[in-house]
Amino acid sequence: MNSEIILPLLIYLVLIAALSVFAVRKRREGSFLTEYFLGSRSMGGFVLAMTITTTYISASSFIGGPGAAYKYGLGWVLLAMVQVPAVWLSLGVLGKKFAILARQHNAVTLNDMLYARYRSPLLIWLASLSLLIAFIGAMTVQFIGGARLLETAAGIPYDTGLLIFGGTIALYTAFGGFRASVLNDAMQGVVMLIGTFLLLFAVIHQAGGLSTAVQKLHDIDPALLSPQGPGEVITPTFLSSFIVLVCFGVIGLPHTAVRCISYRDSKAVHRAIILGTIVVVVLMLGMHLAGALGRAVLPNLTVPDSVIPTLMITVLPPLAAGLFLAAPMAAIMSTINAQLLQASATLIKDLYLRVAPHQMENEARLRLLSGTITFALGLLLLIAAWNPPDMIIWLNLLAFGGLEAVFLWPLVLGLYWERANAAGAITGMVVGGGCYTFLASLKLQILGFHPIVPSLLLSLLAFLVGNLFGRAPQPVDAPQH
């Protein structure tokens, strides 16, 4: 183990713990559920920008994405930039309208919103089951990324790193709830920005300058400089699929959507759209470019996902490496805490309280249950992450695609099409999720497209057809729980 790297990382974890304690002390009076899962809808523009950005930018962006850029070259850097409009799309499409409806119906979770709109318990059970299954895969990816960082950069065995990393996140998320999550996201966003700048600068310097680094890539394989990459992986169909999967489809991600019902006012949204988009540009370009140019410094890595932590200990002094190991660690933590809270909210608010509504007023029991379930979920994910694959980006995209195939059209059409009904939403969810599962499990690509493209098209068609056999839900006057 390298103590010079571990020490600043431990200090960083202590800061996270301190922020969680601060968040608990800042909890507001009122509904425990609204405070624990939404922070009493009090986020300002800066915090909203950071939390929605850091929630979206995960282990895939700091570990898997740069790993793919290391393998496929500068073409993957260009490919990664299609994610730039993600924050604008999420807040622009859902944003204000989503938040207004959430306040009208006292919605705490995404499924609260779906129930208020469609009035169908069956839809909520399907949505909850889909969310939990997909989140297992998505959160497992984050746990793997965190443990792999500690293993590569700090010399901590993978299993030990997994226990340290997973235990820390499970504790602070269970203890602090949503407010601790978003405050940590704000701090982690700043750390990610600083770390990205310094790492990219150090990689270029170590390679002998930008032109020298590019020349070295050309000497390794000229295809590393082409838009298609080695083996022409980045085809037009792959590009269009990627745009759907990591840009347009992000609107349907539950843990991103729930951020759109937890901000303070419309001024916060406008500010967050601008700040969030700038942060995405810097982080996506910086980390993927570091991964691609890192091949000029480390040409013989066998596991592409190890490029960022290996670069850190190669191009930075040990103390600086420890400080900026916190950057990708921050990206991973911010995504896990959002998904972990969303999964916990699904189990408690959408499932448990739906069958036991009389427990709604038992705040002490809900407080204990929320923390216990959140922590228990974290421990279960440790087990799921025990034997990791070599490249986590594909597992992460698989989970993201599943969530988008199920939730995108019920969310968007539910907001903007008054005639949308439960029959259409359920049909769309079942067809979208089923089609995606079938195509992805068999690794089928129709006409070369990623499974998300035909799945979303069939889901939309199924929604429209199913909508013909249902009735529009009646307006809801009173808040629904």
Side-chain angles (χ1 to χ4, degrees), residues 43 114 145 157 247 285 318 341 395 439:
M43 280 194 295
L114 292 174
C247 186
L285 180 61
L341 275 176
L395 180 58
L439 294 176

Side-chain angles (χ1 to χ4, degrees), residues 234-321:
I234 309 172
T235 62
T237 52
F238 186 91
L239 173 61
S240 58
S241 298
F242 205 74
I243 291 172
V244 172
L245 186 60
V246 302
C247 186
F248 173 70
V250 170
I251 300 168
L253 293 178
H255 53 293
T256 301
V258 78
R259 261 58 183 164
C260 297
I261 65 175
S262 52
Y263 61 84
R264 184 170 57 233
D265 50 34
S266 58
K267 184 178 179 181
V269 177
H270 298 149
R271 185 174 298 168
I273 289 175
I274 297 171
L275 288 176
T277 301
I278 293 172
V279 172
V280 170
V281 170
V282 172
L283 293 179
M284 286 297 171
L285 180 61
M287 292 310 300
H288 286 80
L289 191 56
L293 298 178
R295 192 157 179 178
V297 179
L298 304 167
N300 299 314
L301 290 180
T302 55
V303 179
D305 280 354
S306 67
V307 60
I308 292 301
T310 305
L311 281 172
M312 283 182 172
I313 61 176
T314 302
V315 304
L316 295 173
L319 185 61

Side-chain angles (χ1 to χ4, degrees), residues 41 94-119 123-124 257-258 260-261 349-350 354 410-411 414-415 480:
R41 311 182 202 273
L94 298 179
K96 291 183 181 179
K97 193 164 187 175
F98 210 55
I100 291 170
L101 291 174
R103 284 164 170 79
Q104 286 178 357
H105 301 298
N106 195 26
V108 174
T109 68
L110 178 65
N111 286 335
D112 280 347
M113 292 288 290
L114 292 174
Y115 184 74
R117 176 62 180 83
Y118 295 110
R119 309 291 288 140
L123 184 147
I124 300 308
V258 78
C260 297
I261 65 175
K349 181 68 170 63
D350 300 327
R354 192 161 295 280
L411 276 176
L415 278 178
Q480 298 295 321

Side-chain angles (χ1 to χ4, degrees), residues 14-24 179-180 183-185 187:
V14 170
L15 281 175
I16 286 176
L19 264 181
S20 298
V21 173
F22 174 78
V24 171
R179 192 177 293 275
L183 286 177
N184 276 299
D185 285 352
M187 179 187 74

Side-chain angles (χ1 to χ4, degrees), residues 58-61 63-64 134-148 158 162 165 305 332 335-336 339 381 384-385 388-389 391-400:
S58 61
S60 182
S61 304
I63 305 296
F135 269 6
I136 289 172
M139 288 189 287
T140 299
V141 167
Q142 312 308 320
F143 273 67
I144 292 170
R148 192 164 274 162
Y158 178 85
L162 185 61
F165 177 76
D305 280 354
I332 296 166
T335 300
I336 292 181
Q339 294 173 343
L381 290 166
M391 290 188 71
I392 61 175
I393 187 170
W394 307 121
L395 180 58
N396 193 58
L397 292 178
L398 180 68
F400 268 37

Side-chain angles (χ1 to χ4, degrees), residues 345-423:
T346 298
L347 287 169
I348 296 167
K349 181 68 170 63
D350 300 327
L351 299 181
Y352 173 68
L353 290 179
R354 192 161 295 280
V355 298
H358 58 281
Q359 294 290 344
M360 183 73 73
E361 305 302 323
N362 191 342
E363 184 171 309
R365 183 180 180 84
L366 289 177
R367 189 184 302 273
L368 176 62
L369 193 61
S370 299
T372 302
I373 286 180
T374 304
F375 184 68
L377 282 171
L379 295 182
L380 289 174
L381 290 166
L382 287 178
I383 299 172
W386 213 257
N387 295 302
D390 287 339
M391 290 188 71
I392 61 175
I393 187 170
W394 307 121
L395 180 58
N396 193 58
L397 292 178
L398 180 68
F400 268 37
L403 289 169
E404 293 169 7
V406 170
F407 287 99
L408 180 62
W409 298 126
L411 276 176
V412 175
L413 295 180
L415 278 178
Y416 291 98
W417 189 28
E418 291 184 1
R419 294 177 57 192
N421 59 44

